[in-house]
Amino acid sequence: MDIVTGVGVLDKSVALLRALADGPLALAELVAATGISRPTAHRLASALVDHGLARRTDDGRFALGADLVGLGHAATAGWPWG
């Protein structure tokens, strides 16, 4: 996990989201991909689910959430393209 801002909870949450960009992951896979401790990864991933930024798949893995689509659209709507 890269420390970017020094705000641990934010850096860890972003690391989880970036790990999920490659596809759904089980908790153990999230821990391996990020180096975040299992309890912290579970707590943060569950909070991301509560906020719609992540979701649980039918087999219990974590995946990116649908609310990220709306945020992406909002971000690009005001972007000075070209």
Side-chain angles (χ1 to χ4, degrees):
M1 181 191 81
D2 292 332
I3 297 173
V4 177
T5 68
V7 180
V9 69
L10 180 60
D11 291 339
K12 290 173 184 172
S13 297
V14 170
L16 292 174
L17 290 171
R18 288 187 173 149
L20 294 175
D22 292 331
L25 297 173
L27 180 59
E29 295 169 318
L30 267 177
V31 169
T34 62
I36 298 170
S37 72
R38 184 179 180 89
T40 299
H42 184 264
R43 179 175 49 86
L44 293 176
S46 296
L48 290 170
V49 169
D50 291 342
H51 283 280
L53 302 177
R55 63 183 173 85
R56 298 299 292 261
T57 63
D58 290 341
D59 62 0
R61 294 182 297 163
F62 290 95
L64 292 178
D67 283 5
L68 290 171
V69 175
L71 291 172
H73 283 282
T76 60
W79 195 263
W81 302 108

